[in-house]
Amino acid sequence: MATTLWASFYPYVQPYVPGCPEIVIESHLQESAADFCAESEVWRYTIEPDYTSNGDSDYEIDVTKGTLLENIMYLYLDGNMMQRVSERHFKPAVNKDGTAIKGTPTYFSVLDDNSIRLYPTPDQKYTFNGLGVLKPKLSATGVESFIFDTHGRSIAAGAIARLAEIPNKEWSNPDLAMQHRIDYERKISNAKGRDTRRVNLRVASVGFAD
């Protein structure tokens, strides 16, 4: 897919923060883009069918370069929707010897920004698939062009709000920061649930028992 570099956002930002170095503008655009994609969930992709293996609970999702797995909107196992849980608050059942009890998974959690964990640990081969949400890494060189085309000014508004909040700079402007913060949050609310662009990505293959 085509990528739009951060420099394409500069015309939307620089007039509001005169004197701000481009390297500073870029870093705040990176933060704004990551936050916007996470909160609005506009960058969605299909988790294509893949398989569990007996005794393996963790499965990596092969997200595209420069992105993180922000969320999974839904995940199915053999056609049945699973329930998402927080690993911090969910204690999976274990045997007396401390090993995980195996069975048909009904819960999942998102781990390490690019993988999932199933509960209970699968006891055989199952098929899982679903719909995920991506966000760009803070080290990303830009965003997908469809995000820039549709939400470029929204991301720029978030960057302006962040930059104008920086104290004791020639571009510091609390009133401008508040104005663009309100605009940015409104645009997130408007975008959430509206843009359903999906990117078909392959789930990293795993070994499974026959």
Side-chain angles (χ1 to χ4, degrees):
M1 294 179 295
T3 299
T4 298
L5 302 180
W6 300 121
S8 295
F9 289 82
Y10 291 170
Y12 302 140
V13 178
Q14 287 176 317
Y16 296 93
V17 288
C20 183
E22 290 184 350
I23 189 171
V24 178
I25 293 175
E26 179 172 311
S27 66
H28 286 73
L29 281 167
Q30 290 169 322
E31 292 180 1
S32 179
D35 180 69
F36 182 87
C37 289
E39 293 295 325
S40 66
E41 299 183 328
V42 296
W43 194 354
R44 305 175 188 179
Y45 71 97
T46 299
I47 302 173
E48 296 180 345
D50 211 334
Y51 308 101
T52 65
S53 58
N54 183 2
D56 290 335
S57 60
D58 295 357
Y59 299 87
E60 184 174 345
I61 307 298
D62 189 16
V63 298
T64 194
K65 184 179 180 180
T67 69
L68 299 173
L69 181 64
E70 167 63 22
N71 190 15
I72 292 182
M73 302 195 74
Y74 54 77
L75 191 70
Y76 291 100
L77 188 90
D78 284 354
N80 298 309
M81 183 177 288
M82 305 180 71
Q83 180 178 343
R84 180 173 176 174
V85 295
S86 170
E87 187 185 23
R88 291 183 302 169
H89 304 116
F90 185 80
K91 294 183 179 180
V94 295
N95 294 305
K96 290 182 178 181
D97 61 1
T99 59
I101 293 177
K102 295 191 293 185
T104 302
T106 54
Y107 302 94
F108 75 95
S109 62
V110 179
L111 306 173
D112 303 327
D113 297 318
N114 67 350
S115 61
I116 59 174
R117 177 168 293 168
L118 305 182
Y119 310 97
T121 299
D123 59 351
Q124 62 180 42
K125 172 185 171 182
Y126 299 95
T127 302
F128 64 89
N129 64 289
L131 183 68
V133 174
L134 298 179
K135 69 177 180 181
K137 291 182 177 180
L138 292 182
S139 60
T141 58
V143 295
E144 298 302 324
S145 293
F146 86 87
I147 295 177
F148 173 77
D149 292 341
T150 307
H151 306 291
R153 287 187 178 273
S154 303
I155 292 170
I160 293 168
R162 287 169 166 79
L163 290 165
E165 288 172 344
I166 300 175
N168 304 319
K169 300 294 182 182
E170 57 185 297
W171 62 85
S172 302
N173 189 328
D175 290 338
L176 182 72
M178 178 64 69
Q179 174 187 341
H180 280 81
R181 174 68 62 185
I182 293 172
D183 184 46
Y184 174 68
E185 293 177 353
R186 177 179 58 82
K187 288 177 177 178
I188 286 178
S189 179
N190 290 342
K192 188 174 179 65
R194 184 189 68 184
D195 191 335
T196 56
R197 177 67 62 91
R198 301 186 186 187
V199 181
N200 287 322
L201 295 179
R202 178 181 59 84
V203 177
S205 60
V206 296
F208 54 88
D210 293 329

